[in-house]
Amino acid sequence: MEARNWVQVLAKYREPNTLRSTSELAISAVSFVVLWALACWAAHYTYFGAFLISALNGLFLVRLFGIQHDCGHGSFMGNRTAGDWIGRALGVVTLTPYDVWRKTHSIHHSHAGDLSKRGIGDVMTLTIEEYHQRTRFGRFLYRAYRNPFVMFGLGPTYLFILQNRLPIGLMRQGKKYWISAMGTNAAIAAVLGTIVYFGGLQALFLVFLPSTLIAASIGVWLFYVQHQFEKTSWQQGDDWQLHEAALHGSSHYDLPPILRWFTVNIGIHHVHHLYSRIPFYRLPEVLKDHEELVDCSRMTLWESFRCARLHLWDEDGRRLVSFAAARRIAA
């Protein structure tokens, strides 16, 4: 079936179940708050124990971000206004100004895989030719950016702690995005002030930071492997097709069941890009009904680790390659 024909097929899965959505939010939010309180209590007796609980809570924070993600697509609640305000509230917890993120993420969905429209809401990816046209310092910067320590360690910390404090990419797009960013910042400051007032600095460094930074790294990794795999799809301008890019430029990250639950099935990313209005809890239903989508761009957890070695797009070979492979191709 042609990629664009899937839109009509998938449309029947778009309706959210309000009771199911509410229960998913309640389970995630209550678990997050309980683990937060438990970690704060444990910090009075064992720093290591508090850190472990906070690390576990990072998974629930990932889940809350996934719910915020569905709110941004209008797929979480039947009432769009209710979904938006849930998303804004969760944006305080995830350190992500909701309206800013929703706009940049919409740009990502509209141009994913389009080489002529890179730069907002995606992982910076150069072609082999573009990389070799850069100065030596420019190549060094790109290598540093794609280094796993930066991409999945320093990068997520910078993104969620610093970059999200301003409406980056939308600085001149109107006051709406400044209100979103500054309003979220004010709410975050109030929450952090309350945390320090009642729990002291140990609550900040042993509870807040571990869960936040671990969740940030997991989130960036998930986004990375959803599009940065060997047989992904990138096209130039006129050759780019929205639905082809969605189906073949997004992976099916086939995770173990417990990780699928914590990541709200976002690994079924090719289906999500084909029809973003499908609630996350209905994505497995799509695969069950349409087995031909199961093996499309499928990768397992173990196979996904190889993606961290891929850095440049080979336009002739139609694949993502490592720096070493790019040198061989250039030679």
Side-chain angles (χ1 to χ4, degrees):
M1 185 186 299
E2 289 189 17
R4 62 183 178 182
N5 293 336
W6 278 109
V7 175
Q8 291 182 325
V9 175
L10 298 177
K12 69 177 184 179
Y13 300 94
R14 65 176 285 173
E15 293 301 325
N17 181 306
T18 301
L19 180 60
R20 175 69 184 273
S21 295
T22 303
S23 64
E24 293 283 356
L25 175 61
I27 290 170
S28 304
V30 170
S31 298
F32 179 77
V33 171
V34 168
L35 285 177
W36 240 95
L38 185 60
C40 288
W41 172 81
H44 293 290
Y45 303 97
T46 165
Y47 289 167
F48 183 67
F51 175 83
L52 288 181
I53 296 171
S54 299
L56 172 62
N57 212 13
L59 292 173
F60 282 100
L61 188 53
V62 169
R63 198 164 204 276
L64 290 173
F65 187 91
I67 292 175
Q68 177 186 339
H69 168 268
D70 265 27
C71 290
H73 284 292
S75 60
F76 188 66
M77 302 293 287
N79 184 304
R80 184 62 187 255
T81 301
D84 284 342
W85 281 105
I86 290 172
R88 292 184 182 107
L90 291 177
V92 177
V93 180
T94 64
L95 308 187
T96 305
Y98 174 76
D99 292 289
V100 176
W101 172 86
R102 183 176 63 174
K103 179 62 176 180
T104 58
H105 192 65
S106 174
I107 294 172
H108 161 69
H109 269 261
S110 299
H111 302 298
D114 187 346
L115 286 171
S116 64
K117 295 183 179 179
R118 289 165 286 173
I120 294 181
D122 56 18
V123 175
M124 182 171 61
T125 307
L126 297 180
T127 66
I128 294 176
E129 182 180 0
E130 289 171 337
Y131 174 74
H132 286 294
Q133 287 176 347
R134 285 194 163 197
T135 63
R136 179 174 295 181
F137 184 64
R139 292 195 295 270
F140 167 78
L141 290 179
Y142 184 73
R143 279 180 170 271
Y145 171 81
R146 301 287 297 209
N147 184 284
F149 177 72
V150 174
M151 180 68 70
F152 310 117
L154 296 179
T157 300
Y158 166 77
L159 173 63
F160 285 90
I161 300 296
L162 296 177
Q163 181 174 309
N164 279 353
R165 308 287 61 80
L166 292 172
I168 301 298
L170 304 173
M171 303 283 277
R172 298 182 180 180
Q173 299 299 311
K175 65 181 181 180
K176 173 182 179 179
Y177 303 111
W178 282 97
I179 291 172
S180 175
M182 296 305 109
T184 302
N185 291 345
I188 291 171
V191 170
L192 292 182
T194 303
I195 290 171
V196 173
Y197 181 80
F198 288 103
L201 290 177
Q202 64 184 20
L204 184 66
F205 289 104
L206 293 175
V207 182
F208 168 76
L209 280 180
S211 59
T212 298
L213 299 184
I214 288 171
S217 293
I218 293 173
V220 170
W221 169 255
L222 288 170
F223 186 77
Y224 181 90
V225 299
Q226 286 159 5
H227 299 284
Q228 299 283 314
F229 54 97
E230 183 179 7
K231 294 296 184 179
T232 188
S233 175
W234 287 91
Q235 296 282 357
Q236 287 283 3
D238 295 338
D239 295 327
W240 179 83
Q241 296 293 329
L242 175 65
H243 299 107
E244 287 292 331
L247 181 60
H248 301 295
S250 306
S251 65
H252 172 202
Y253 195 18
D254 196 357
L255 293 168
I258 184 64
L259 293 182
R260 286 202 299 270
W261 187 84
F262 276 114
T263 59
V264 294
N265 299 314
I266 198 60
I268 309 175
H269 209 62
H270 58 323
V271 176
H272 168 66
H273 262 260
L274 277 171
Y275 207 98
S276 62
R277 290 293 301 275
I278 300 175
F280 72 84
Y281 47 79
R282 299 198 68 180
L283 290 173
E285 186 181 341
V286 174
L287 295 186
K288 182 180 178 182
D289 293 345
H290 305 283
E291 294 184 359
E292 59 267 46
L293 290 172
V294 173
D295 291 324
C296 185
S297 301
R298 177 181 176 272
M299 75 173 82
T300 64
L301 178 62
W302 181 254
E303 290 170 340
S304 71
F305 295 130
R306 293 199 295 266
C307 296
R309 301 199 302 264
L310 305 176
H311 311 290
L312 295 165
W313 179 246
D314 176 8
E315 290 190 272
D316 294 327
R318 310 295 311 149
R319 62 194 178 110
L320 206 62
V321 299
S322 65
F323 286 120
R327 282 197 299 271
R328 293 193 296 269
I329 293 170

